[in-house]
Amino acid sequence: MIHQFRSFLICTLGVGIPAAILGCGPRHVETSNNPEDLPIMTKHEWQRIEANGWNAERWVAFTRGSRGNPVNVWVRVTPPATAEKQPPKINVQLLLSHKVDPKFSRKATSAPELVDCSKLPKRIEHVRRQTEDSSHEFPPKELSWEAVIQDPFKSNTIGGTPGATALEPGIYDLRVTLDLGLKDMKPFVFEPIKMTFPRKGPRDVAP
């Protein structure tokens, strides 16, 4: 329950995490080196794929929420020890597929800039998926880069994004494909994430 509450604060208020990561308005929050005081980020339906020594991860902040919420998607890339120390120029394909009516589906393409994880504020990451439930400190010891794709489907009517349109109610599959743009490297194709958007308002948002 404590993890859920602190996770809810991060997803809604941006406590301890830069606004650029959460897609919120500008704010400055000091973080602590004491693990007891660090903010918690819950990585819902986190998945990692390994290929040719590279590791790619993706997760979301929630799987059930208001139709007017942004569907932000985090990605992280960890290179092999022999790779260059500069992040690749990635391309991410996203598809939010409505399970009943395809006309409500949305797709997007993003080329976010990867940031060195060691330069981001410390936090506690709580991994939540069907086969794993664990916590660990961030940033990782090994070199890795991270980016967040903010509101790719232009659904953030609650946050007032210009031109945004709330999602239609129902159940969706979120599909994420990450291309590192490297020779002889196939894109990482992640498992679909089931996301539910009921007809009711913001109170339905689950941390």
Side-chain angles (χ1 to χ4, degrees):
M1 181 64 70
I2 294 176
H3 277 232
Q4 291 181 344
F5 177 72
R6 291 173 67 187
S7 163
F8 174 77
L9 287 178
I10 288 179
C11 293
T12 56
L13 301 178
V15 177
I17 303 297
I21 291 180
L22 290 170
C24 307
R27 60 186 296 119
H28 176 72
V29 181
E30 296 292 339
T31 58
S32 168
N33 290 325
N34 184 349
E36 294 294 328
D37 299 329
L38 292 176
I40 295 175
M41 172 182 278
T42 300
K43 299 161 65 173
H44 287 266
E45 294 303 313
W46 168 86
Q47 184 185 1
R48 179 172 57 202
I49 301 176
E50 189 277 334
N52 297 342
W54 289 82
N55 282 277
E57 305 170 47
R58 69 93 182 92
W59 68 90
V60 293
F62 63 88
T63 56
R64 178 183 175 86
S66 167
R67 299 185 297 115
N69 281 144
V71 182
N72 297 338
V73 179
W74 280 259
V75 294
R76 185 181 297 169
V77 176
T78 303
T82 56
E84 295 184 10
K85 304 309 178 184
Q86 296 298 319
K89 303 293 184 181
I90 65 172
N91 184 276
V92 185
Q93 301 288 332
L94 304 112
L95 174 62
L96 195 61
S97 178
H98 196 282
K99 305 210 45 160
V100 175
D101 196 334
K103 73 180 181 181
F104 296 141
S105 300
R106 300 189 187 186
K107 61 181 179 179
T109 301
S110 179
E113 181 178 351
L114 291 169
V115 178
D116 189 333
C117 290
S118 67
K119 298 180 180 180
L120 296 175
K122 293 183 178 180
R123 64 183 185 241
I124 300 296
E125 295 188 335
H126 182 68
V127 174
R128 179 174 295 168
R129 60 174 303 178
Q130 294 180 352
T131 58
E132 184 171 351
D133 195 357
S134 61
S135 297
H136 52 273
E137 290 189 36
F138 172 92
K141 295 180 180 179
E142 67 275 9
L143 173 65
S144 58
W145 304 289
E146 184 175 299
V148 58
I149 304 166
Q150 302 179 52
D151 195 22
F153 305 111
K154 306 301 180 186
S155 61
N156 188 16
T157 58
I158 293 176
T161 298
T165 303
L167 297 167
E168 292 296 324
I171 299 173
Y172 292 77
D173 276 340
L174 172 60
R175 293 178 168 85
V176 179
T177 301
L178 171 61
D179 188 351
L180 297 181
L182 300 176
K183 184 179 180 180
D184 300 326
M185 280 285 294
K186 294 182 178 180
F188 292 88
V189 181
F190 295 93
E191 297 173 358
I193 298 175
K194 179 182 176 182
M195 306 195 76
T196 304
F197 297 92
R199 291 184 177 276
K200 296 181 181 180
R203 293 185 179 181
D204 288 310
V205 177

